[in-house]
Amino acid sequence: MPVLTRLVPTPLTVDIRAGAVDDLAAILADRRVSTSGRIAVVVSEGSGARLRERFAPQLPGAEWYSVAGGTLTAAVDLADRMRGGAYDAVVGLGGGRVLDATKYAAARVGLPMVAVATNLAHDGIASPVSILDNDAGRGSYGVPTPIALVVDLDLVRAAPQRFVRSGIGESLSNLCAVADWELSQRETGEPVDGLAVALARTSGDSILHRPGGIEDDDFLVALAEGLVLSGIAMSVAGTTRPCSGACHEISHAIDLLYGERDGHDGLHGEQVGLGAAFAAHLRGDAELTQLLTSTLDRHKLPVVPEHLGLTLDEFVAAVSHAPQTRPGRFTILEHLDLDNDAIRDSVTEYVHTYGG
């Protein structure tokens, strides 16, 4: 009898709780990721120094590395410095940029990577993708899924609240991505993976309908679990499709057009949350648009372009440019193929209806 199932790469361990990092050495030894304690630990050049001071005594066999931001150059340099170290595994300890650079560097040197997230700003904590800045802007690079994932709620609570809220926008954007994927199936015949859709949609729905906020441990656990499900959804699909649609195209366009401008400091999760709400409006789904905008507003996330420091015309330009950021990806933007005047009318209507 053939085994008519598939094997999905997922972390061996997912540990989400207060004080989880204090047991990191035991987690690695118990799962036989590193019984010798011979690991490389990567932190940022800034706040990473405080993390090293706190956790170095618990990891006496580790060697510590710093990485200068989430760029492809920094990740390659990190891999070159770690090469030949005879480590059992690489531990990324920090936020999204540190984890993405560490995932890429670990893949380059052929070592399993352990993700220790200090905030919940985006869904990359358990994904098989590294998002790194390069000479052309920002690229997505396929990497192995982290072998273990640790989310310490004490560290998350110590992070700036804005970074935690950003993860809310990231989870909610899955609802846009799934709708775009299903639209593509209807219009172009693109295959849709039902398991990936179920995981991604569950992540979004778990936040859309959940009471409480980032001050509550139960909410933080739900958010962290949702972001993990997003990463697994991408592993199942073998692509970012279940978690990236028009919402992410708009965010990438904002980064490309205004990322270097003084005064623009929109976080990825903030931008995709707004992008998801606007995309729902374009699809004519008034009920979902209302749910998304009210949830974004309740969690103090941007609802209209002004909240990101963008004028109406700037946001129109970003929406117009968005399809160029992901050639070959079919979303509501490609389906409608609106000209600038039609986009401006839609943005004006959206702001008038949901801008408070």
Side-chain angles (χ1 to χ4, degrees):
M1 181 83 177
V3 179
L4 301 178
T5 59
R6 55 180 166 181
L7 300 178
V8 179
T10 61
L12 290 173
T13 297
V14 176
D15 193 359
I16 303 170
R17 59 186 169 88
V21 177
D22 293 331
D23 297 325
L24 178 60
I27 291 170
L28 298 181
D30 180 58
R31 284 296 187 171
R32 299 184 181 179
V33 175
S34 177
T35 54
S36 70
R38 190 72 188 142
I39 58 175
V41 184
V42 182
V43 294
S44 70
E45 288 190 337
S47 59
R50 294 192 296 275
L51 293 172
R52 176 174 181 173
E53 182 179 354
R54 175 179 170 184
F55 295 112
Q58 301 173 28
L59 303 168
E63 290 190 23
W64 292 74
Y65 294 85
S66 62
V67 62
T71 67
L72 180 60
T73 299
V76 171
D77 174 69
L78 173 62
D80 290 342
R81 286 184 283 136
M82 290 193 303
R83 201 178 302 277
Y87 306 114
D88 299 323
V90 181
V91 175
L93 174 56
R97 289 179 176 272
V98 171
L99 298 187
D100 280 341
T102 305
K103 280 193 287 185
Y104 185 89
R108 248 179 113 87
V109 297
L111 290 173
M113 184 268 187
V114 177
V116 182
T118 58
N119 67 51
L120 300 176
H122 71 91
D123 61 8
I125 56 177
S127 76
V129 178
S130 286
I131 307 297
L132 299 169
D133 294 332
N134 55 41
D135 292 340
R138 183 162 293 171
S140 299
Y141 302 89
V143 295
T145 300
I147 196 171
L149 171 64
V150 175
V151 179
D152 191 321
L153 298 185
D154 290 333
L155 294 179
V156 170
R157 279 192 294 266
Q161 289 191 345
R162 185 183 174 199
F163 286 90
V164 184
R165 291 192 180 100
S166 179
I168 297 171
E170 189 80 81
S171 279
L172 293 174
S173 74
N174 285 2
L175 301 174
C176 165
V178 166
D180 280 331
W181 201 6
E182 292 174 336
L183 171 67
S184 182
Q185 182 184 46
R186 293 192 301 270
E187 297 295 328
T188 73
E190 179 183 358
V192 166
D193 189 304
L195 177 56
V197 165
L199 292 167
R201 182 179 281 131
T202 297
S203 171
D205 282 340
S206 69
I207 297 303
L208 187 67
H209 301 291
R210 187 172 191 88
I214 63 171
E215 301 81 9
D216 308 323
D217 275 7
D218 287 346
F219 184 90
L220 289 179
V221 170
L223 177 57
E225 289 175 345
L227 295 175
V228 171
L229 289 179
S230 294
I232 296 174
M234 288 184 265
S235 292
V236 167
T239 171
T240 60
R241 194 58 156 122
C243 304
S244 174
C247 46
H248 281 62
E249 289 182 334
I250 292 170
S251 177
H252 293 317
I254 291 172
D255 289 336
L256 286 170
L257 296 177
Y258 312 115
E260 300 299 322
R261 190 185 69 182
D262 290 343
H264 173 261
D265 62 347
L267 299 177
H268 180 70
E270 295 175 335
Q271 294 175 177
V272 298
L274 168 56
F278 179 67
H281 173 70
L282 286 179
R283 282 192 297 273
D285 192 340
E287 181 180 0
L288 179 58
T289 309
Q290 182 61 59
L291 283 169
L292 286 171
T293 54
S294 61
T295 303
L296 291 170
D297 183 61
R298 182 165 66 86
H299 291 292
K300 302 178 183 177
L301 286 161
V303 175
V304 294
E306 181 184 1
H307 297 162
L308 284 174
L310 299 174
T311 66
L312 187 145
D313 285 342
E314 288 171 337
F315 189 70
V316 168
V319 173
S320 177
H321 184 73
Q324 300 177 46
T325 67
R326 284 292 181 269
R329 182 155 292 186
F330 190 87
T331 76
I332 188 63
L333 299 179
E334 288 79 7
H335 177 60
L336 295 178
D337 193 23
L338 302 176
D339 60 25
N340 274 1
D341 289 340
I343 293 173
R344 181 174 290 102
D345 290 343
S346 295
V347 174
T348 301
E349 181 183 36
Y350 170 83
V351 172
H352 176 74
T353 305
Y354 303 103

